[in-house]
Amino acid sequence: MAYSPEIREAAKRLYLRHHTPDEIRNELGLPNNRIIYYWADKLNWRDLLREEDVDESIARRIVMLTDINEKSGMQIKELDMLIEKHVKLKKQRADLARKEANGDNTSTPNKVGKKNSTNKSTGNNASNNSSDKPKGRRKKNDVSHLTQEDFATWYDSLFEYQKTMHENLHQRIRNILKSRQVGATYYFSGEAFEQAVLTGDPQIFLSASRSQAEVFRTYIVAIAHQFFEIELTGNPIVLNTAHGAAELRFLSTNGKTAQSYHGHVYIDEYFWIGKFDQLNKVASAMAAHKHWRKTYFSTPSTKAHPAYTFWTGDHWKNGNATREEIEFPSFDEMRDNGRLCPDKQWRFIVTLLDAQRGGCDLFDIDELRDEYNTDEFNNLFMCIFIDDADGVFKFSDLEKCMVDAKRWQDYKPNNAQPFGNREVWLGYDPSRTRDNATLVVIAPGEKKGEKFRVLEKHYWRGLNFSHHVSEIQKIYAKYRVTYIGVDTTGIGAGVFDSISTLYPREATAIHYSVSSKTRLVLKMIDVIEGNRIEWDASNKDIAMSCLAIRRTTTDTGGAITFKASRDQLTGHADVFFAISHAVINEPLNHAHKRNSSWILQN
């Protein structure tokens, strides 16, 4: 087959950007990857690739992945692998350069000591004698030379509300309610690294899923590299400090695996973790000694969450007549640099407005108010809990759906075909109010009792439906897709036209009406109340989107029913409908026992 110069040039560009032959074949729709190997040999593409600095290529990819706010499990794994590879390459070249320069075993000066050699490190024999005496091989993750003064630059980079958290390190229990995206996970990663270095104490991080816990590790590695030029490796990370070995361990909320450790404990997004009472017992056991700290921090979910009474202090009062009369600080008082409460917890609230006053200029608040409705904005950014009394879904049902996806043994996100030859269903939803769209990859249950699983979700900005179609084609290249449900409203019509031409057997148009929207919500009630769907617990936006679906009245006002008011829901409701577009491929009358409190009213 003859290929045009345009195809060949496109393949070359992708090859030089380190795309694999399989990725190039999928991107350009080539029948196989043999032609790519042929071009690489005949046209000397490999020689061009060798001239590119591998370190720069890896570093560029690391920077790109680090900038992603909500990383997938696959992206976190790739980032860890690249960082470790980067560290190994730098070490190998440093060793080679040292041997060539010295011809003996003399080691190079300490990296961090170089910038402090004229001031802070003066008087420290370990820092000053590197040019006079040969030293043995530096230990892995060696931070023994760092002092409190060395953390001054990191501390100065913090926002005021982060410094307030740091000033309350002496509190044994810190409980922080926060807005989204204000850097709490980043701050506590830096704090834990600092305290481990300066004290040698172990630090334990608990999150809803292993991939979410790994975000702590990613931040710690990045902070050590950025501020101290130290490359940390290992998982768990074991620091060689001046006070002995300090272990940083990253865990999901599996009590069986977590309860054997002890140290300072950080619990991330605890309002989105199921079985909070059980988790709290595990955390308390790990930090039972009086010198261990416990730090809880989270964005709010609903008042129905078991942790809500833990936050309000009602769990501490627990019907005790004497304690019932004790007043806790008000919401505004806790926003004012925090308060130590009667139950000996230091509580602190950081809303988006507080973050802005504290120096965080990363948000356009007016734009966010336009993007989200009032209830969503208050919940996401103003630390207001959702009252799900009028909601279609109860949080107690949703938390049963949130699992650690690491347990899915048949799903390998790093593989070229992550789900092997098993079928998947896709759901595509264009936003009604914004220039973006959502696509989900759903694994239907193959065997009796097997649940739906949300394998992937994608958010695409922009109204270029051709771009959306090309992204969907990439999903088809990875999975055996047997169905895709496309909402044909707005941009969805253009996407469906292309998808139905490319994949006529799988593509199904979903035309929105009052009855069709009700049918979609009914199906989601069916699978959620029946505990027949799972998603990774780190995907908090899925639960949020379900909680956004509310009860309302019919258009005539004659009956109470539920209605998917798409024109009133923005942002996080999109993924709910994308999932519904996929699972609706299973008929509503699917044979299984279902006890739902909802019925369809005429």
Side-chain angles (χ1 to χ4, degrees), residues 319-574:
N320 184 303
T322 303
R323 291 182 176 180
E324 287 288 348
E325 299 176 357
I326 300 176
E327 291 189 6
F328 274 57
S330 67
F331 184 89
D332 288 337
E333 286 174 331
M334 287 188 281
R335 290 174 64 186
D336 182 23
N337 293 318
R339 291 291 189 276
L340 183 62
C341 299
D343 59 354
K344 298 183 180 179
Q345 291 190 36
W346 179 76
R347 287 178 172 84
F348 185 35
I349 295 176
V350 182
T351 69
L352 189 63
L353 297 179
D354 301 324
Q356 187 180 55
R357 283 193 293 269
C360 181
D361 58 355
L362 304 176
F363 301 93
D364 185 329
I365 294 181
D366 291 336
E367 182 178 309
L368 290 174
R369 288 188 186 276
D370 289 338
E371 186 173 341
Y372 297 91
N373 66 37
T374 301
D375 290 340
E376 287 179 321
F377 181 85
N378 288 338
N379 175 248
L380 293 171
F381 304 111
M382 297 304 293
C383 300
I384 303 299
F385 286 87
I386 295 172
D387 187 349
D388 60 358
D390 292 330
V392 170
F393 299 97
K394 298 184 182 300
F395 191 84
S396 57
D397 291 327
L398 295 171
E399 69 178 356
K400 296 175 185 176
C401 305
M402 296 185 280
V403 301
D404 189 345
K406 296 285 185 182
R407 75 181 195 181
W408 297 341
Q409 297 298 314
D410 55 350
Y411 176 57
K412 309 292 183 183
N414 290 328
N415 289 1
Q417 293 181 295
F419 208 47
N421 197 41
R422 287 194 55 176
E423 70 171 319
V424 299
W425 300 346
L426 307 184
Y428 175 84
D429 178 77
S431 175
R432 293 300 187 283
T433 57
R434 300 185 295 168
D435 61 339
N436 69 330
T438 306
L439 181 126
V440 294
V441 180
I442 303 291
E446 189 175 71
K447 303 174 183 177
K448 184 178 181 180
E450 197 172 51
K451 302 178 182 180
F452 289 104
R453 285 176 284 172
V454 182
L455 303 183
E456 293 185 18
K457 61 183 174 65
H458 300 272
Y459 297 110
W460 300 319
R461 296 193 67 85
L463 297 175
N464 184 348
F465 73 83
S466 297
H467 170 70
H468 295 196
V469 171
S470 68
E471 293 298 315
I472 292 173
Q473 286 180 281
K474 293 177 183 178
I475 301 297
Y476 265 80
K478 294 167 54 180
Y479 294 97
R480 183 169 73 88
V481 179
T482 60
Y483 164 88
I484 176 171
V486 179
D487 172 9
T488 55
T489 306
I491 186 179
V495 172
F496 180 76
D497 287 344
S498 297
I499 292 298
S500 60
T501 301
L502 292 168
Y503 312 108
R505 292 185 178 181
E506 300 93 38
T508 299
I510 298 176
H511 303 281
Y512 266 79
S513 64
V514 173
S515 60
S516 66
K517 286 187 286 188
T518 301
R519 185 169 176 267
L520 290 168
V521 178
L522 268 176
K523 186 59 186 179
M524 290 296 287
I525 292 172
D526 177 70
V527 298
I528 289 175
E529 287 191 2
N531 193 22
R532 297 179 53 235
I533 189 169
E534 295 179 338
W535 58 80
D536 190 81
S538 63
N539 294 321
K540 299 184 294 295
D541 53 339
I542 297 179
M544 279 292 301
S545 69
C546 295
L547 292 170
I549 309 303
R550 319 293 286 179
R551 282 187 294 187
T552 185
T553 59
T554 59
D555 292 338
T556 61
I560 298 295
T561 182
F562 51 82
K563 186 177 180 180
S565 303
R566 299 297 305 282
D567 54 337
Q568 297 176 8
L569 296 173
T570 60
H572 294 274
D574 297 343

Side-chain angles (χ1 to χ4, degrees), residues 6 13 41 130 178 182 282 284 309 336 349 378 401 405 430 438 449 468 521 534 593:
E6 290 78 13
R13 286 197 301 270
D41 282 334
S130 60
K178 67 178 187 69
V182 294
V282 172
S284 297
T309 57
D336 182 23
I349 295 176
N378 288 338
C401 305
T438 306
H468 295 196
V521 178
E534 295 179 338
K593 185 178 180 180

Side-chain angles (χ1 to χ4, degrees), residues 128-364:
N128 291 331
N129 295 337
S130 60
S131 59
D132 301 322
K133 298 179 181 179
K135 294 196 294 187
R137 185 176 181 180
R138 180 168 291 284
K139 295 181 179 179
K140 180 181 179 181
N141 297 337
D142 187 9
V143 294
S144 58
H145 53 286
L146 296 181
T147 67
Q148 181 73 68
E149 291 180 345
D150 291 309
F151 284 87
T153 303
W154 169 76
Y155 181 81
D156 290 342
S157 72
L158 300 176
F159 298 122
E160 290 304 313
Y161 55 91
Q162 294 171 324
K163 291 180 180 178
T164 299
M165 298 175 192
H166 194 273
E167 289 163 5
N168 284 274
L169 269 167
H170 61 284
Q171 308 286 359
R172 185 162 185 268
I173 301 177
R174 293 176 296 175
N175 198 343
I176 296 156
L177 193 66
K178 67 178 187 69
S179 163
R180 286 234 177 152
Q181 300 296 319
V182 294
T185 304
Y186 171 84
Y187 163 71
F188 285 118
S189 299
E191 174 193 285
F193 176 64
E194 175 199 48
Q195 294 303 302
V197 169
L198 300 180
T199 67
D201 289 345
Q203 316 286 323
I204 303 168
F205 303 89
L206 283 174
S207 293
S209 68
R210 182 60 185 271
S211 61
Q212 191 171 335
E214 290 293 330
V215 174
F216 281 106
R217 185 185 181 280
T218 300
Y219 280 140
I220 290 171
V221 169
I223 289 169
H225 177 75
Q226 178 181 353
F227 290 95
F228 307 101
E229 299 181 18
I230 295 174
E231 309 292 348
L232 299 179
T233 59
N235 193 353
I237 296 174
V238 181
L239 302 177
N240 177 38
T241 78
H243 309 277
E247 187 176 80
L248 282 64
R249 190 169 287 274
F250 313 94
L251 306 171
S252 64
T253 53
N254 185 333
K256 294 180 180 179
T257 61
Q259 60 190 359
S260 58
Y261 305 111
H262 65 275
H264 302 293
V265 180
Y266 295 86
I267 303 97
D268 178 27
E269 294 291 3
Y270 72 92
F271 273 114
W272 298 94
I273 295 175
K275 300 180 181 178
F276 174 76
D277 293 337
Q278 180 180 334
L279 163 71
N280 206 19
K281 289 179 182 178
V282 172
S284 297
M286 290 190 293
H289 294 175
K290 63 182 181 182
H291 56 280
W292 300 134
R293 287 186 310 275
K294 288 187 291 184
T295 301
Y296 303 81
F297 62 101
S298 180
T299 52
S301 58
T302 77
K303 293 181 179 179
H305 193 280
Y308 182 69
T309 57
F310 177 76
W311 165 257
T312 62
D314 290 339
H315 178 77
W316 174 75
K317 294 178 181 180
N318 196 25
N320 184 303
T322 303
R323 291 182 176 180
E324 287 288 348
E325 299 176 357
I326 300 176
E327 291 189 6
F328 274 57
S330 67
F331 184 89
D332 288 337
E333 286 174 331
M334 287 188 281
R335 290 174 64 186
D336 182 23
N337 293 318
R339 291 291 189 276
L340 183 62
C341 299
D343 59 354
K344 298 183 180 179
Q345 291 190 36
W346 179 76
R347 287 178 172 84
F348 185 35
I349 295 176
V350 182
T351 69
L352 189 63
L353 297 179
D354 301 324
Q356 187 180 55
R357 283 193 293 269
C360 181
D361 58 355
L362 304 176
F363 301 93
D364 185 329

